[in-house]
Amino acid sequence: MVDLSKIEYMVIVTDENGKQYNIKDYVENLGWEENENEISLRSSFTVRNDKTEKGYLSYFIKPGCLICIYASDGFTNQEVARGYVESWNPVYRNSSTSLKCTSYDELYKLQKSQDNIYFPSGTGTQSAISRILDNWGIPIGDYQGPNTTHGKLVYKNQYLSDIILELLDDAAKKGEEKCIIKAFQGKTSIVPKGNNKTVYVFQADNTISISESMDMADLITRVKVIGQVDDTGNTSVEATLNGLTKYGIRQRIYIRGSDESLSDAKSAAQEILDQKGNIIKEIVIQSPDMPFIRKGDLVYLMLGTTKGYFYVKGIRHDADTYSMTMNLEVAEQEIVKENEILAEKSYEIGDIVNFHGGIHYVSSYPDAKGYHARAGQAKITNKNGAGKAHPWHLIHINSDSNVYGWVDDGAFD
């Protein structure tokens, strides 16, 4: 449980001449956030524009200067956010003045910039993303992302952030791990979702509120591929792809282009199901602040009937109230693809299986600590553990995977 009395925040400003100033005693309304549809971290604060021994704060806090936010919980002290001032707003009121600032990290330029880019067929994910980052002068840190090959890709007048997200999404559809892009300490990393080494557990005694919602208003459960109109004015159904039809038929029509193969049309229809064929499940939690949690991290909930692992898809830290708000999504969503049949299969100790990648646990009990493990072949060394929550024990058989622990049903085949 977080001890609020030990949490401290510090804000450091680096001016245009490289000089640093600690302004924590002048800051209020300090917060930073990472939103679902943005790749850049945004921070904001207000400072009393007091005169110090080095002059008024607004003299050296200017548009473009670097802002770094540090946090400590009594054990760990590290940078949690940084950015360059984009919005600079001094406010004069009676005899006092204040300065409101909003800053964004290095990835903001990708959110605000468009380009035309061509990637020939066979280009790898890492090569494509590295090319974008290099061209825009963004340092690359840790790359643990996919490196699958893509077909020919042509982007016209598209935002660079959207291009990178599309590349990562295309790699995930080809079987690679779902990954995110984020900046940390001035460098950009591509890492798998849930890559955090420490998984924080949220229970009733360390949670302020929880809100759960499920939305199927825009759910699509079937896509029909329709051919071109013939000489008689008729069309034919060339393929039907079913999704979660147990919720009823909610149909979308995809018309195959005159120069488009049936295989490509079916892939496009499947992409519609991938994007719109899932029930949107979301949980919003307010809790005491744990300043080191970021978007993409894995957390564990034990709140009433809500138990399990969730990804953070959006987060807001509020330093003034020592609290945070997280938007969560379940770590595994229900996805049904065309002609997919879920068959029962029995496994025994000694079987060699294909681990899908994900979380392995130190024990089979529900409250066991979990860590991320790479996909690969593994051996079943135990089953039906005493805790039952994670019933299978796997040990990797080569260096492709590092799984060595208890996993859930469905974690391998």
Side-chain angles (χ1 to χ4, degrees):
M1 184 174 179
V2 178
D3 186 348
L4 293 180
S5 65
K6 295 183 179 179
I7 292 182
E8 294 183 352
Y9 307 96
M10 182 172 61
V11 181
I12 302 295
V13 177
T14 303
D15 68 12
E16 56 191 359
N17 298 315
K19 294 182 179 180
Q20 294 186 338
Y21 305 90
N22 182 353
I23 61 171
K24 74 170 186 175
D25 294 332
Y26 303 91
V27 170
E28 59 185 18
N29 301 324
L30 174 64
W32 63 99
E33 60 189 293
E34 296 175 277
N35 296 316
E36 179 180 2
N37 297 317
E38 299 176 353
I39 65 172
S40 177
L41 181 148
R42 176 171 56 211
S43 57
S44 59
F45 60 89
T46 301
V47 294
R48 301 190 313 274
N49 193 17
D50 294 350
K51 185 176 183 179
T52 68
E53 59 182 12
K54 298 176 182 177
Y56 286 99
L57 294 180
S58 59
Y59 289 172
F60 52 87
I61 302 178
K62 297 180 179 180
C65 72
L66 177 63
I67 305 293
C68 292
I69 303 172
Y70 294 82
S72 172
D73 62 358
F75 301 98
T76 302
N77 183 16
Q78 69 179 45
E79 180 183 308
V80 293
R82 72 162 54 189
Y84 296 88
V85 175
E86 294 282 342
S87 175
W88 183 84
N89 176 212
V91 177
Y92 303 92
R93 185 180 292 109
N94 297 328
S95 60
S96 65
T97 63
S98 62
L99 176 63
K100 297 180 180 180
C101 292
T102 302
S103 61
Y104 296 84
D105 66 20
E106 291 80 2
L107 297 178
Y108 187 60
K109 62 181 73 174
L110 301 183
Q111 285 183 191
K112 305 301 288 185
S113 301
Q114 294 176 316
D115 205 352
N116 297 326
I117 300 179
Y118 168 77
F119 294 118
S121 179
T123 301
T125 314
Q126 183 174 4
S127 175
I129 293 177
S130 296
R131 172 180 156 186
I132 294 173
L133 297 178
D134 287 341
N135 287 345
W136 288 83
I138 299 177
I140 301 174
D142 190 15
Y143 191 96
Q144 299 181 36
N147 198 26
T148 189
T149 55
H150 301 267
K152 182 178 71 173
L153 298 172
V154 180
Y155 298 101
K156 294 184 178 180
N157 305 329
Q158 286 192 244
Y159 286 99
L160 295 167
S161 57
D162 292 339
I163 294 174
I164 291 176
L165 293 177
E166 286 183 23
L167 286 166
L168 294 175
D169 183 61
D170 187 47
K173 289 176 180 176
K174 290 178 167 62
E176 298 285 347
E177 285 188 280
K178 293 183 178 181
C179 294
I180 63 170
I181 177 172
K182 58 184 177 181
F184 179 66
Q185 294 184 348
K187 294 185 178 181
T188 295
S189 296
I190 309 291
V191 295
K193 292 175 68 174
N195 192 54
N196 47 304
K197 294 181 180 179
T198 301
V199 178
Y200 292 98
V201 178
F202 292 86
Q203 307 177 80
D205 60 351
N206 64 350
T207 302
I208 299 170
S209 68
I210 177 172
S211 171
E212 300 183 61
S213 66
M214 297 178 65
D215 188 350
M216 53 188 295
D218 297 322
L219 180 68
I220 294 173
T221 65
R222 173 177 290 171
V223 179
K224 279 187 177 180
V225 177
I226 305 298
Q228 294 289 306
V229 178
D230 60 23
D231 294 338
T232 64
N234 294 319
T235 59
S236 61
V237 178
E238 298 185 333
T240 300
L241 282 69
N242 288 324
L244 302 178
T245 54
K246 66 182 180 180
Y247 297 110
I249 303 301
R250 303 185 182 195
Q251 185 168 285
R252 177 71 60 87
I253 298 298
Y254 182 85
I255 300 176
R256 180 166 69 89
S258 57
D259 297 326
E260 185 178 19
S261 68
L262 179 57
S263 175
D264 288 342
K266 289 171 69 176
S267 295
Q270 182 61 58
E271 186 170 347
I272 294 174
L273 275 183
D274 291 342
Q275 293 178 351
K276 297 289 187 179
N278 301 301
I279 297 175
I280 300 175
K281 304 175 183 178
E282 184 171 294
I283 292 180
V284 179
I285 282 184
Q286 288 185 304
S287 73
D289 192 25
M290 175 45 66
F292 313 116
I293 294 179
R294 295 199 59 179
K295 184 173 77 171
D297 283 357
L298 193 70
V299 298
Y300 188 81
L301 302 188
M302 297 179 65
L303 295 165
T305 59
T306 304
K307 294 183 180 180
Y309 286 89
F310 295 81
Y311 293 124
V312 178
K313 66 177 185 176
I315 187 167
R316 163 75 186 179
H317 298 273
D318 189 331
D320 281 16
T321 61
Y322 294 88
S323 66
M324 66 180 180
T325 301
M326 295 187 294
N327 294 74
L328 308 177
E329 62 181 350
V330 291
E332 293 184 6
Q333 295 187 356
E334 184 179 24
I335 300 176
V336 178
K337 295 190 175 182
E338 177 194 17
N339 299 329
E340 182 176 1
I341 300 176
L342 301 178
E344 292 290 335
K345 182 177 180 180
S346 59
Y347 296 96
E348 299 297 335
I349 294 174
D351 286 350
I352 303 299
V353 296
N354 291 310
F355 176 58
H356 299 159
I359 306 302
H360 60 165
Y361 306 90
V362 297
S363 79
S364 61
Y365 287 91
D367 58 351
K369 193 168 186 178
Y371 301 90
H372 192 276
R374 299 189 302 274
Q377 289 192 314
K379 186 179 201 178
I380 299 175
T381 59
N382 204 341
K383 69 175 184 176
N384 297 324
K388 304 295 185 183
H390 319 295
W392 303 94
H393 191 273
L394 302 183
I395 297 178
H396 61 92
I397 62 173
N398 56 44
S399 59
D400 290 342
S401 175
N402 61 340
V403 62
Y404 197 121
W406 295 87
V407 302
D408 296 337
D409 282 324
F412 58 85
D413 57 29

